[in-house]
Every structure is written in structure tokens, then in C-alpha cells.
Amino acid sequence: MRGPAWRALLLVLALALADAAAGRFVVEKNSIQVTSPDELKGKYECAIGNFGVPQYGGTLHGWVEYPRSNRKGCQSFDQFDISFKPKKAGGRPNFVLLDRGECFFTVKAWNAQNAGAAAVLVVDDKPEPLITMDNPEEGKEHLENITIPSVLITKKLGDQLKKSAEAGDMLSVLLDWRESLPHPDERVEYEFWTNSNDECGPKCDMQMDFVKNFRGTAQVLEKKGYTQFTPHYITWYCPETFVTSKQCKSQCINHGRYCAPDPEQDFSQGYDGKDVVIQNLHQICLFKIANETGKPWLWWDYVHDFALRCPMKDKKYTHECASDVIKSLGLDVEKVNKCVGDPEADEENEILKAEQDAQIGNGKRGDVTILPTLVINNRQYRGKLDKVAVLKAICSGFEETTEPAICLSEEIQTNECLDNNGGCWLDKANNVTACKDTFRGRVCECPIVKGVKFVGDGYTHCEASGIGRCEISNGGCWQETKDGKTISACSNEEPDGCKCPAGFKGDGVKSCEDIDECKEKLFCQCKGCSCKNTWGSYECSCGDDKMLYMREHDTCISKEGTTATVGWSFLWVIFFGLVFAGVGAYAVYKYRLRSYMDSEIRAIMAQYMPLDNQEGANQQHHVAHADDI
Ligand SMILES: *[C@@H]1O[C@H](CO)[C@@H](O)[C@H](O)[C@H]1NC(C)=O
Ligand SMILES: *[C@@H]1O[C@H](CO)[C@@H](O)[C@H](O)[C@H]1NC(C)=O
Ligand SMILES: *[C@@H]1O[C@H](CO)[C@@H](O)[C@H](O)[C@H]1NC(C)=O
């Protein structure tokens, strides 16, 4: 059935799709900042190529070279004896500026990469808005092995850079992907548009490799609530006039409503497009049921296991095999079957209808027309479906400092706090720093250490504040130990600041000096008393043996009878105090009870005035209530 009919159908399908997609393709951009020469300094935009590895969340600074020959990069640079490797190890990397045209973008990138370039800047050949450099349908052999980022720049910027390079200027630019994805909050939402078909060649292999490699990471992120993942599947509809055609019947379910292309593009053998739609539907339904049981991540296991256990080539791409996999994951097969529904029915399938609606772009995302497509925080991911590259993109979708630990691992970022403490405040002695490594860089933020909050600008100054602050480097306050006695100017009763304790004077931070109470005639001025200053206090003794120094009154009293007199008067004071307090409390109680009753009764009377006979009963009720207070 490779006749013209099926070609016509493919064309119609393609047209239906192209029509829906017209003009809704969104070009994803990153920033390119020219740092030298001076006359070109500034920020420009460039379009991220849909291959290679863009450094989502990161930056790359390099020199720009415009090769003297092979300026389109279509041949290997070896032939021209050109290399872009940095001259010295550890030197700033070299980017190569190439002209658009003559060969695939991927060929240019591949040649540049082999010559040691760290990134490729392709200059558009006509003045137009930026476009996305895509990977070609043919000539994919290098695709998987391109690991450098590629960007397209406008003809205008390109011409300026070329002119400057030809004049012998040192050209240096910073590629910046830190703002390529929005990062509004503490959770990243992402979608993977995929396909259960395993016989479509490199594209299908790439999808499966991605699922296999990314599964573990995806599940960890999902289980900990850092991400919300949703799988999606593209379907097409059969144009109405073709619904009864053999082609549509073999490619579509629900009477032409949901179609997928034939896996081998041959209607007469193997599996049909229809089988693919049904298996895709199984995968969406599985996700739905798994999500309902609170384990959305089981989708990754299912897709992985299904591809392994039920491949087309072994003729196991069937409902039975799918059911076995579902069972082995502990999910309810019946629920999944119910969700899949009847593929022969002439009616909408809610699930697939929703998928078709979701294909249409919203906001900044654009339509999804190619598989596989990864959408992160509602933006299309550009670049290779590589575990680390995708993880970087997801990490760049978190609000700074809320990213999970996996985003701070050495494999995917550098810890900027290791270099000069990131320029942040540091208390070396106590190993307290304001530098916080983040995926996109670092922030200088006064920390919380052992539950104690530090406050300050984070760059030059932080200090412990609130309860417990004295436990940490004594709250930044003065402290001194003499003769086994430690005196501190930090007090947990005071929320911040330092204050010299009684007996000392000073700023409390750098120093507190002992006050000489004797010299300053503050205490111990009684007649005949002798005063001796001590560290933080003083000692006083009365001149007469029969006298005793009373510290709290700063006076001397006679030793005779002191105990008795003091004791008795003390007891009397307590006794009268208690009696007085008791009487007072009783009076207050009585008064409050009375006034409460009065107001309650008055309120009730006001309410029931016209019903004289009910008044008594209500009063009683409210009095009982009043007694409870
Ligand atoms: C790409 O890399 C893989 C593994 O590193 C290698 O086996 C393959 O030959 C490479 N392909 C090309 C075209 O260099
Ligand atoms: C998955 O479950 C969560 C919470 O129960 C819900 O918010 C979300 O919309 C569900 N996703 C889908 C695709 O059903
Ligand atoms: C400082 O603290 C960090 C983590 O809080 C720790 O990894 C490091 O070993 C500490 N350094 C010293 C010198 O105590």
C-alpha cells in the first residue's frame, strides 16, 4: 500500500498539522554579552540551537575567532590546519564565528567541536528575526556526539563582530543562559512529549535512552516534591473525507479522531499507527492512575519496562504485555482499561482530547509539533536530550536558593563559594559564612547557624540575633575570663546588641572595663567603711567588728539582734502582704462578678423587655453562667 493514496494522506495529515502550528513556533533565546572591544560592548540576544548542550543556568566566557578560511565550517578544520584549542591549558576557551549556509548547522557544530571550539556562533545570512537552528532529518550521525552549545546571532551583530575580528581586535563574549528559563518558584513543572513507538530509528532510541538515563533523577525530584512532571503524547486527526479510508482505519482510533503514523510507514505489515495510539493511551492512563494513587513517578518505570519487555520487534507490543507490566508495578489493570475505553467507539476519548488541546501552544511555549519535546516551566527545552543537560535546565527553573541538593553537585555546577568565599562575609574564626552556593551562581545572605539567625548585608557584615545568639561566638560581643570567672557583654534577654554587665563600662563589643566603685565613690561610702575594688564588683567592710555591711542597702548595721529583727520584720511584711493581696483579690472578684452580672442582666432585659414573664428564667440562666467566670 505504498501507492499515491497513502502519500496523499500523509500530505493531508502534514497539512492539518502545519496549519495548526502556523506561526506558533517559539524561538528560545539566551543572552550574549560582548565584553570587548569597547565599541561593541553590550547585551544582545541569540537563539539556542536545538542540538548540542546549552548550559542552562550557567555562563560561558570566551574569545571569539573568525577563521581565515572554511568560514562556513562545512569542512573539517584539520584540512586548513586551524585549531581553536586554547593556547594554554586553563586559558579562556575559544568560540568560533561561522557563516550560515551550505551545510547543516549540526555539521558546522561538529567540525568546530572537533577543532577544539567551546561554542559556535552562527551568523545569520540575512536580516531577519532569530530562528531556531534545528537538527536535520538526514545527516544525524553527529547529532548525539555534539556536546558544545551552538547559538544563532543576527546578521547585524555578526557583521559587526566579523569586522572587528578582521581589524585584529580581541573579541570576547559571555554566553549567558541563566535567564533562559523562567524560575518563579520552588517547584519546576515539566512535560515530556513522547511516543511509545520503538521502531522509528534514532529518534526513538534517543527517547528511550533519555527515559533510561533520567528515570532515577526524575523519580527522586518527583518524590521529594521538587518537580511536577506530566507526560504527553501527540496525536493527529484524520481529515473527515478520509475517515473511512483504509489508511485512516489503520492509523486512527475512535473513528479517525486520534491517529499516529504507521511505525514502519508500511500499512501492509507490522504494527499500525492505531496500535501506537492505543499504547500511547495506555501510558497516559497509567500516568493518570499512578498519579491518583500518589505515585506519578511510576510512569517512568512503566515506560522503561514496557520498552524492554514489549518491543515491536519481538511482536510483544500488545495489550496483554502492557497489562503484565502494569500488574508488576502493583497498579490496577482494570482502572487503566477503563480509562483507555473502547478504541472502536465513535466518540471522543476525554484523555486524548485533552492531549490534543494541550498540543496547541499557550503563552510562551508554542505548539508542540515534533517529538520528543521537553517543556520546562512552560518553555521548550532546546538541545540534546542528555541527562546532565536536562537536569541543568530543570535546575535553572528553580527560584534561587530553593534548588534541591542534586542541583549543587559538582557534576553539574561549580561551587562559587570556594573562590574567595564568593566575595561574601566570612567569620573565619567561627567558620560562619554568608556565601550560599546556588545553581546559577551564589548569593551572599546572612545564614542561620544552629537555629540562630544572623542579620546584616551579607557582604561586609552579619551578626547573630535573637535567642541563642550568645552561644555563637558570643553574639559578637566582648567576653573575658579572669581567675576562672567569665564575664560577657552578650545577654540572651536582649534581642541584639551588646551591653556591658553591671560593674563594667564600655561599648560591649570591643571592650568592657571594670568600674572602680571605690575610686568613683559609687558604693561603700559609709563612715569607717573600707572599700576594695574587684573585677566587676567591689568588697566593703565596716570599720567596726560589731557592725555588718548590708550590700543591698549599702550601709552598716549592728550585728546584735539583726537576725531576729530583720527576720521578724521580714515575716510581718510577708504576712501583711498576703492578707492585703487576699482582700484585694476578693474585692476585685466581687466587683467584676457584680458588674458582669449587671451588664448581662441589663442586656437580657433589653432583649426581652416586651416579654415580662420570661425575664426571670433568663436571668437565672445567665447568672449561672456568670458564676462560671
Ligand atoms: C559518537 O560517540 C559514540 C560513543 O562515544 C561513538 O561510539 C560513536 O562512534 C560516535 N559517533 C561519531 C559519528 O563520532
Ligand atoms: C496529579 O495529581 C496532582 C495532585 O493530586 C494534581 O494536582 C495534578 O493535576 C494531577 N495531574 C494530572 C495530569 O492528572
Ligand atoms: C566549616 O563548616 C563547613 C560546613 O558547615 C564544613 O564542611 C567545614 O569542614 C568547616 N570548616 C572548618 C575549618 O571547620
Side-chain angles (χ1 to χ4, degrees):
M1 256 298 165
R2 303 197 75 121
W6 105 262
R7 277 179 199 286
L9 176 68
L10 257 199
L11 186 71
V12 173
L13 282 179
L15 284 178
L17 197 66
D19 187 38
R24 307 208 47 167
F25 190 79
V26 174
V27 178
E28 300 294 344
K29 292 171 187 160
N30 65 304
S31 144
I32 175 168
Q33 193 183 340
V34 178
T35 53
S36 91
D38 280 348
E39 59 272 22
L40 287 180
K41 257 188 186 169
K43 268 194 183 170
Y44 306 83
E45 269 187 338
C46 52
I48 310 175
N50 198 22
F51 53 84
V53 181
Q55 302 292 308
Y56 278 100
T59 58
L60 197 58
H61 205 171
W63 301 113
V64 180
E65 289 193 23
Y66 187 41
R68 51 182 192 277
S69 35
N70 193 19
R71 288 187 158 172
K72 290 198 164 101
C74 294
Q75 276 102 46
S76 160
F77 285 97
D78 279 352
Q79 299 170 28
F80 302 91
D81 208 15
I82 294 176
S83 164
F84 305 113
K85 292 199 177 72
K87 306 280 176 290
K88 281 193 304 228
R92 196 182 276 181
N94 291 316
F95 303 159
V96 55
L97 199 63
L98 295 176
D99 290 321
R100 182 178 173 187
E102 221 168 90
C103 56
F104 292 127
F105 292 122
T106 46
V107 173
K108 296 176 197 283
W110 178 242
N111 287 333
Q113 177 175 317
N114 285 337
V120 180
L121 317 177
V122 178
V123 183
D124 204 349
D125 54 1
K126 47 184 172 287
E128 62 175 353
L130 289 170
I131 59 158
T132 298
M133 297 186 291
D134 210 347
N135 48 63
E137 281 303 317
E138 318 97 76
K140 278 184 192 288
E141 63 270 25
H142 312 305
L143 195 56
E144 274 303 281
N145 295 23
I146 298 174
T147 54
I148 60 172
S150 301
V151 299
L152 182 81
I153 60 175
T154 58
K155 183 168 185 319
K156 182 165 175 234
L157 174 62
D159 287 346
Q160 285 171 322
L161 290 176
K162 285 194 267 188
K163 204 169 127 205
S164 177
E166 276 168 350
D169 290 336
M170 288 294 264
L171 267 180
S172 141
V173 306
L174 178 79
L175 292 173
D176 186 345
W177 294 267
R178 283 176 302 182
E179 300 300 326
S180 296
L181 286 181
H183 39 86
D185 54 26
E186 300 170 19
R187 193 182 70 179
V188 169
E189 288 83 23
Y190 70 112
E191 303 168 359
F192 185 43
W193 289 79
T194 181
N195 197 340
S196 64
N197 180 355
D198 65 3
E199 285 287 322
C200 67
K203 256 192 177 172
C204 286
D205 298 344
M206 191 164 84
Q207 287 183 63
M208 255 348 285
D209 279 347
F210 174 65
V211 169
K212 202 167 83 191
N213 294 332
F214 198 65
R215 174 165 67 133
T217 306
Q219 292 181 327
V220 168
L221 290 170
E222 199 76 12
K223 283 179 193 170
K224 298 207 171 144
Y226 286 115
T227 55
Q228 188 182 47
F229 169 75
T230 323
H232 282 296
Y233 296 82
I234 292 183
T235 59
W236 304 322
Y237 59 87
C238 184
E240 221 162 300
T241 41
F242 290 88
V243 166
T244 52
S245 72
K246 204 171 166 192
Q247 286 79 5
C248 270
K249 281 191 167 159
S250 84
Q251 295 200 78
C252 310
I253 65 168
N254 294 74
H255 284 237
R257 285 183 177 83
Y258 314 105
C259 317
D262 191 283
E264 313 88 9
Q265 311 208 335
D266 183 347
F267 298 140
S268 59
Q269 60 167 14
Y271 289 99
D272 293 329
K274 176 173 153 172
D275 301 311
V276 175
V277 183
I278 292 175
Q279 287 309 333
N280 287 350
L281 183 53
H282 270 85
Q283 301 197 345
I284 314 171
C285 283
L286 180 119
F287 176 76
K288 186 169 169 266
I289 305 300
N291 193 38
E292 279 168 10
T293 59
K295 292 179 179 173
W297 52 84
L298 286 179
W299 178 89
W300 293 90
D301 292 327
Y302 177 74
V303 170
H304 175 260
D305 292 0
F306 179 78
L308 213 68
R309 292 173 60 181
C310 314
M312 287 179 177
K313 66 175 189 318
D314 293 350
K315 307 238 177 306
K316 287 188 181 155
Y317 191 77
T318 61
H319 179 75
E320 290 68 39
C321 191
S323 297
D324 286 347
V325 179
I326 296 170
K327 262 185 239 151
S328 69
L329 292 175
L331 288 169
D332 189 340
V333 177
E334 281 316 306
K335 273 192 184 162
V336 176
N337 287 345
K338 200 168 158 226
C339 166
V340 169
D342 177 11
E344 300 301 328
D346 184 7
E347 60 185 22
E348 295 280 10
N349 177 306
E350 289 308 316
I351 303 279
L352 289 175
K353 181 85 183 45
E355 291 296 291
Q356 275 183 350
D357 291 344
Q359 267 166 252
I360 310 296
N362 59 44
K364 295 211 149 174
R365 190 199 73 189
D367 291 343
V368 178
T369 51
I370 44 173
L371 287 180
T373 289
L374 192 66
V375 176
I376 302 174
N377 278 354
N378 209 31
R379 294 284 180 85
Q380 288 196 7
Y381 167 85
R382 297 278 180 241
K384 192 171 144 183
L385 272 186
D386 163 82
K387 178 186 154 186
V388 172
V390 169
L391 180 57
K392 278 186 184 180
I394 288 177
C395 288
S396 75
F398 289 101
E399 189 184 357
E400 198 150 29
T401 76
T402 67
E403 58 272 78
I406 197 170
C407 293
L408 303 179
S409 63
E410 271 175 40
E411 189 191 2
I412 72 163
Q413 63 115 40
T414 49
N415 184 345
E416 292 185 25
C417 290
L418 296 180
D419 184 14
N420 188 31
N421 200 46
C424 305
W425 173 85
L426 171 70
D427 176 357
K428 239 185 196 149
N430 296 291
N431 193 21
V432 181
T433 172
C435 191
K436 201 169 189 184
D437 183 32
T438 67
F439 178 69
R440 282 192 288 282
R442 63 96 179 93
V443 293
C444 297
E445 202 176 80
C446 294
I448 295 176
V449 179
K450 295 184 196 131
V452 179
K453 195 169 163 10
F454 281 70
V455 293
D457 67 2
Y459 294 93
T460 59
H461 172 78
C462 288
E463 69 178 38
S465 149
I467 304 290
R469 71 195 177 96
C470 298
E471 309 327 316
I472 293 174
S473 67
N474 201 45
C477 301
W478 170 87
Q479 174 172 291
E480 204 175 319
T481 304
K482 254 187 198 168
D483 306 327
K485 196 167 132 198
T486 300
I487 306 271
S488 160
C490 188
S491 153
N492 277 332
E493 275 88 64
E494 310 250 342
D496 354 71
C498 306
K499 199 171 137 203
C500 294
F504 290 90
K505 62 182 176 188
D507 62 5
V509 178
K510 286 208 185 72
S511 74
C512 288
E513 271 172 55
D514 176 44
I515 298 171
D516 189 338
E517 289 84 357
C518 306
K519 215 171 181 180
E520 300 198 5
K521 300 200 161 81
L522 295 173
F523 298 103
C524 200
Q525 299 302 305
C526 36
K527 220 163 131 203
C529 291
S530 70
C531 185
K532 181 172 167 246
N533 184 47
T534 63
W535 190 57
S537 187
Y538 67 96
E539 278 164 15
C540 188
S541 56
C542 304
D544 192 331
D545 269 359
K546 294 193 186 96
M547 300 290 270
L548 189 69
Y549 180 66
M550 298 278 289
R551 201 179 176 90
E552 43 294 16
H553 302 293
D554 188 30
T555 181
C556 290
I557 54 165
S558 165
K559 265 184 184 170
E560 271 157 33
T562 26
T563 1
T565 331
V566 171
W568 276 113
S569 57
F570 185 60
L571 281 182
W572 274 114
V573 166
I574 291 178
F575 177 72
F576 280 117
L578 281 177
V579 168
F580 186 73
V583 169
Y586 182 69
V588 168
Y589 172 70
K590 269 308 221 194
Y591 172 75
R592 282 204 48 200
L593 188 62
R594 170 96 93 0
S595 62
Y596 182 69
M597 281 163 58
D598 278 358
S599 63
E600 282 277 288
I601 291 164
R602 238 178 271 129
I604 293 156
M605 301 240 309
Q607 250 176 17
Y608 292 98
M609 215 41 130
L611 305 168
D612 273 0
N613 54 345
Q614 280 192 1
E615 205 182 302
N618 271 294
Q619 259 182 31
Q620 261 174 9
H621 170 75
H622 278 267
V623 168
H625 175 186
D627 266 341
D628 287 339
I629 56 165

